[in-house]
Structure formats: structure tokens, C-alpha cells
Amino acid sequence: MNTQGKVFKYPDNVDTDVIIPARYLNTADAGELAKHCMEDIDTGFVDQVRPGDILVAGWNFGCGSSREHAPLVIKTCGTGCVIAKSFARIFYRNAINIGLPILECEAAAEEIQAGDRVDIDFDTGVITDRTTGKTYQAEPFPEFIQNIIRRGGLLASLKEA
Amino acid sequence: MGMTMTQKILADHAGLQSVSAGQLIRARLDIVLGNDITTPVAINEFTKNGFDRVFDKDKIAIVLDHFVPNKDIKAAEQSRQCREFACGHCISHFYDVGKMGIEHALLPEQGVVTAGDCIIGADSHTCTYGALGAFSTGVGSTDMAAGMATGEGWFKVPSAIRFQLTGQLPPNCSGKDVILTIIGQIGVDGALYKSMEFTGPGVATLSMDDRLCICNMAIEAGAKNGIFPVDEVTMRYLEGRGERAPRIFRADPDAAYEKTVCVDLSAIAPTVACPHLPENTRPAAELSDIQIDQVVIGSCTNGRMEDMETAYRILKGRTVAPGVRCIIIPATMKIYRECVERGYVTAFIDAGAVVSTPTCGPCLGGYMGILAAGERCVATTNRNFVGRMGHVTSEVYLASPATAAASAIAGFITPAKED
């Protein structure tokens, strides 16, 4: 499994209120919600993002509310992966549970720039910046979490168990 | 190696003699919680994956609190979906308009949660119940769905930071000033993935409302949970509430902590978190040049009875400054009724404030107090992110009920003066 696309870069502490503002949470329709993804910090994101594109951010990505709508809108926009220096813990759980690929990699999150073309190989955790030619190795998921991802999310994994 | 208090509760619920930090476990859940925003997503996942019955109708709590009384048609549809699911599965702890409250004020008040519990909630502030000596943490809707189906959750056992509390709070300082001070010190990811375990002789001086407020904002430091030891204050609070007997777990004397942070309560001053992160803290006394447009007193952080008492003490016989809108929201119907009976509501109205039935509304920019471009609000809520309460250029200053009420009268940010 892999993804490739263009990078959108964001700072530390991107919170779930800017990923999907609560004023839109009167619906659970992912397509409807996705129209507002990132709009409070990046009004151009929704129009510019293409399938496979990659979000790169700093520390504590997804802090704040537990709203699962946050990873859901990022995924629904077609984003192939989020790379960050670290993730807030509820966002991390939610991303795994709904099948949004995320990778923790401090060096990649520091060096990769907005607009770079990046390839990611999820089997090996290798991140390649095609623009600069540099490669990075992300932290692999623990076996337990890899199982959830392989089975297509938490609930699907429960049904199989 | 000994276990922390959190680890003791997790080991018990996983049926293990001991657990250690980093271990992945499956634990039995005492309560699975959701609200009118997160439950619809959970119901959709639950149904989509072919589950047709909940693990235990008495161990699920569904509270309509974010957008109720419903703010618009879409919100009403979401509430209806929750209502139909709760009715269809005979959920005993379902709280609709008329008996609802803000979930994290309501569940402790109603005795739905107790000491020794293992609780997940599809709301980040579920960490509040650590004040009762429970393990309690926020999760997403899919985890809620899995919890409703199986009665179990998966957890990575957290390590802990110990907060050693000494001394006693000065007048006009409360739990809010304590937790804002701590977040200012360790940062919004200062306790990422970890437990915040509060201990020391200062604990006994803190009321249950202070403890609930402190644990409520553990998530604002990135923590998995906050937790207080069970003492006389806890047992007095729990007396006569709830169906399940409290279970007391204590940290082992040789428990390992990543670090210990000493907090002298007597040195705490009225504190404000400036935009746009809860870690941007400043003494309230240094912010008198910040003119304000609105004050909100309420939320799962500070809408409890002591918070209303504080607001009343400061607002009674005084007037909200011209140009300031002051919105007071008691967190549960019981607190609301108490405010009516004690004459607080009359005093608030006479002061020029408005009083709403319980709702999370303004805290998350839902309704009931949205800010226009550039407006500034002092709020007793828990988050001051960009756009949290309205327009992206509006500003939220997080403060205690005392500071918020004093600021409402002044028209600018100010700590309360001693009475």
C-alpha cells in the first residue's frame, strides 16, 4: 500500500476545531462536512487538495475535541496520509479506527516543505520527498494496531474476532 | 515495580495482576458515553457493521447537550436519531431536554459514574470523572460504537506525571486557576498520552467541584486522563449517589512516575489563558488593557453549583458593564433549579446578565453566544482555539468564574477583588 501527492504544510497544535469547526457538526454526513475541512486556517485547502495529497504538520496534530469528524473529513477530502511530529491521542485512535493513514516522523515533518511531491510506502514506513530526493523512515505501528488497520478498522476487526 | 492509581484500575478491568506503561490491553467498561454530536456517528458505525444489540443497556449513557434545545433542523434530526436509538435499545441513562445537563456535570451529579470505574466517552472532556477516583478518558465515535457492542475498549497503559499539591488556595482562586497554571507550565502537549495524577496534602483542601474542573482540563495538556485519590471529600460527594458501590484504588508507594511537578496552591493567582491556546497563560491582573464584548459563565468546566455561587457573590447588586453581554449557563437542570430557588437567577437578571438552560452551545461556537469578527470574550470554558466561539478573528480568554464575573462588571479583564 502506498500513496503519492503534493504536500500541504501546517504548524504545531493544529486542533480539531480548525480541521472541522463545530458550527458544522449538526450533520454526520462526511461529504457535507468535508466541504469545510481546514477552512479556519486554510481557506484554499478544499479546492486545491487532490486524491493522495499529504498533510505535513508539527507537534500535537489533532489536539482538542474527540470529534471523529476530524480524521473523517481529512480522509473524505482524498488525503492519502498525515505526517506529523506527534499526534494528540484521541485523534491518533480515531484515525486508526476509521482507516486514515497517519505517520509519526519528526525529521520528515521538519524538512518536507509545502508543495513538495512525496511518496509513502506504508509497508516499510519509508517516506520519499521526490522534490528534494531525501528519504525518511517513520515509526512502525505496533502489531496490535497493524491488525486493526489490516482488517479495515476497529469494528470490522471486532466482527472477525 | 509498583503501579500508579490509573494502572491499578486498568489492571483490575483487564483482569490482570499488573500492567506496565506501554502495554496494550483490553479492559472491561463500566460506562460508555456519547452526546448528540458524537452518538449519531457511533450509531451509524454500529449499524453499518451489523451490530444489533448493546452489551448492557444500563452501562451506556447518551446525553443530548451540545446543540439542545435544538439550534436548527439538522441538529434536531441528530437528536432524534439518538432518541430513537436510546428508546429502541432501552438505554436507561438517556438524558433529553428537561432532565439533561452538560454531560460531565450531569453524570457525577446523577451518580452514573463512581470511584474505581473504567469509563470511555465520545467527548474529549470525559477525563472529568477522574476527580471521583475513576479511570475515564475521551475517545471517538467508533470506539464508542465498539464499546456499546462489546463492553470493552483497547488501551495503551499510560505512564504518569505526578502533581504534588501543597498549601491552600487564596480567596478568589479556584480549580480553574490551578489547571490553567499547570497547563501554562507544561504546555498543551505536556502530558501527551500520559496520566496526570494529583496527590499531596493540598488535595484535601480542594472541593469536588474544584477537582472536577481540574480533571476536566487534563485533555488540554494532552493527557489521557487526570485522577485524584479517593478521600473523605470524595466519599462525602458519592454518598447516596449511584447504583454501584465506589471501589477505592490507591497508587503503590513504589509506583513509577515520569516526573513530579510540585504545585503550591497558596501561590496560585487568578490566571487567564489568552488566545489561541490554553497554554498562553498570564496573570489576570496584567490584562486590564483587554476590553471585552462578552462573558460566558458555564460549561462542563465551570457550570457547577460552586461556580454559580461565585458568580452570584460577585454579580449580586452590581451591573454588567455597558457594551458587555454576560451569559450564564448552569450546567444541569438540578443546578438551574437551585439557582432559581436561591434567588441567583433574579440577581443575575438584575445585574444585566442572561441565564440559559443547560447547553454546551457557546463553548464550541455552536449557538447561544457566537462572537462576531474581532470580538473578545472572557469564558469559563476550556478551549480558546482559532474560531472556537465564532469568527476566526474573535478571541476567547479562558478564566475562572470569579475572574469572568469581575470582568463582566469592569468591561475589561480583571481578577475579582476580595470581598
Side-chain angles (χ1 to χ4, degrees), chain B residues 35-340:
Chain B
N35 59 48
D36 52 318
I37 284 178
T38 57
T39 305
V41 180
I43 294 169
N44 293 347
E45 287 299 311
F46 185 89
T47 311
K48 194 174 80 189
N49 284 278
F51 294 103
D52 55 8
R53 52 191 299 190
V54 300
F55 85 105
D56 187 337
K57 69 177 180 60
D58 298 325
K59 291 187 173 175
I60 293 163
I62 298 176
V63 184
L64 309 185
D65 61 359
H66 276 58
F67 292 160
V68 304
N70 293 129
K71 76 181 187 99
D72 56 27
I73 295 167
K74 286 180 175 176
E77 296 292 350
Q78 295 204 127
S79 284
R80 181 167 67 182
Q81 189 184 3
C82 295
R83 196 174 292 124
E84 287 175 355
F85 181 85
C87 184
H89 291 272
C90 304
I91 303 297
S92 42
H93 300 301
F94 172 62
Y95 296 93
D96 206 337
V97 173
K99 61 176 197 164
M100 55 70 70
I102 297 176
E103 52 198 318
H104 310 307
L106 184 73
L107 296 199
E109 174 196 281
Q110 296 293 316
V112 176
V113 289
T114 192
D117 275 357
C118 178
I119 303 153
I120 62 166
D123 188 281
S124 60
H125 293 107
T126 303
C127 51
T128 307
Y129 318 131
L132 304 174
F135 170 77
S136 191
T137 193
V139 296
S141 297
T142 297
D143 274 313
M144 181 196 177
M148 289 198 299
T150 66
E152 289 187 341
W154 69 269
F155 301 101
K156 189 158 121 184
V157 175
S159 60
I161 300 175
R162 175 168 52 183
F163 293 84
Q164 179 78 13
L165 310 182
T166 55
Q168 189 162 2
L169 285 171
N172 288 320
C173 285
S174 65
K176 184 62 162 286
D177 300 295
V178 177
I179 191 63
L180 288 177
T181 300
I182 287 173
I183 295 167
Q185 203 176 327
I186 68 173
V188 291
D189 60 355
L192 194 61
Y193 294 95
K194 300 179 179 57
S195 300
M196 296 172 78
E197 298 211 358
F198 300 93
T199 181
V203 166
T205 70
L206 294 172
S207 70
M208 186 48 70
D209 283 4
D210 282 328
R211 298 179 193 190
L212 289 160
C213 172
I214 290 170
C215 285
N216 174 272
M217 286 190 71
I219 179 69
E220 261 54 70
K224 183 166 210 149
N225 68 313
I227 197 162
F228 272 85
V230 176
D231 64 4
E232 280 176 29
V233 172
T234 324
M235 295 313 286
R236 247 197 329 272
Y237 181 87
L238 292 174
E239 205 181 323
R241 293 175 206 259
E243 306 127 16
R244 280 168 292 123
R247 295 173 66 211
I248 300 171
F249 293 85
R250 298 191 193 286
D252 288 324
D254 61 341
Y257 297 93
E258 285 207 356
K259 62 176 171 181
T260 298
V261 176
C262 294
V263 180
D264 178 3
L265 297 176
S266 57
I268 297 281
T271 301
V272 173
C274 298
H276 289 286
L277 281 176
E279 70 184 22
N280 295 337
T281 53
R282 297 268 305 275
E286 293 176 11
L287 295 169
S288 56
D289 56 335
I290 308 285
Q291 300 285 324
I292 57 172
D293 303 285
Q294 180 169 296
V295 166
V296 172
I297 300 174
S299 83
C300 62
T301 313
N302 279 128
R304 298 187 181 80
M305 204 58 226
E306 278 183 16
D307 304 318
M308 295 298 123
E309 284 165 4
T310 301
Y312 171 73
R313 182 168 52 78
I314 292 166
L315 288 170
K316 72 171 177 216
R318 298 195 174 96
T319 311
V320 170
V324 175
R325 293 118 36 195
C326 181
I327 302 162
I328 301 177
I329 310 179
T332 69
M333 288 308 290
K334 190 172 176 211
I335 296 167
Y336 186 80
R337 190 176 198 283
E338 190 83 18
C339 286
V340 171

Side-chain angles (χ1 to χ4, degrees), chain A residues 10-24:
Chain A
Y10 299 105
D12 294 342
N13 301 314
V14 170
D15 62 79
T16 54
D17 276 280
V18 295
I19 296 171
I20 179 68
R23 59 184 178 273
Y24 300 120

Side-chain angles (χ1 to χ4, degrees), chain A residues 37-158:
Chain A
C37 184
M38 310 300 282
E39 77 174 26
D40 279 2
I41 52 165
D42 183 356
T43 49
F45 175 77
V46 169
D47 289 335
Q48 290 163 22
V49 68
R50 296 289 173 269
D53 281 354
I54 293 154
L55 266 56
V56 176
W59 300 106
N60 203 25
F61 184 87
C63 62
S65 155
S66 70
R67 65 191 69 152
E68 200 163 287
H69 316 67
L72 196 61
V73 292
I74 293 175
K75 186 182 172 190
T76 305
C77 281
T79 308
C81 182
V82 184
I83 301 169
K85 292 180 184 174
S86 66
F87 291 91
R89 60 159 284 276
I90 305 177
F91 185 92
Y92 182 96
R93 280 185 87 99
N94 287 347
I96 288 161
N97 286 345
I98 68 149
L100 169 70
I102 56 172
L103 291 174
E104 265 184 12
C105 185
E106 187 178 341
E110 182 66 37
E111 294 175 8
I112 293 174
Q113 295 303 315
D116 286 4
R117 304 293 307 185
V118 166
D119 291 1
I120 298 169
D121 183 330
F122 291 111
D123 295 328
T124 61
V126 172
I127 300 165
T128 306
D129 187 331
R130 295 281 169 213
T131 307
T132 63
K134 279 193 160 186
T135 62
Y136 307 90
Q137 179 66 52
E139 287 290 315
F141 285 118
E143 181 66 26
F144 176 84
I145 289 173
Q146 283 185 25
N147 269 332
I148 295 178
I149 297 169
R150 250 196 310 273
R151 290 173 180 178
L154 180 64
L155 288 170
S157 76
L158 285 177

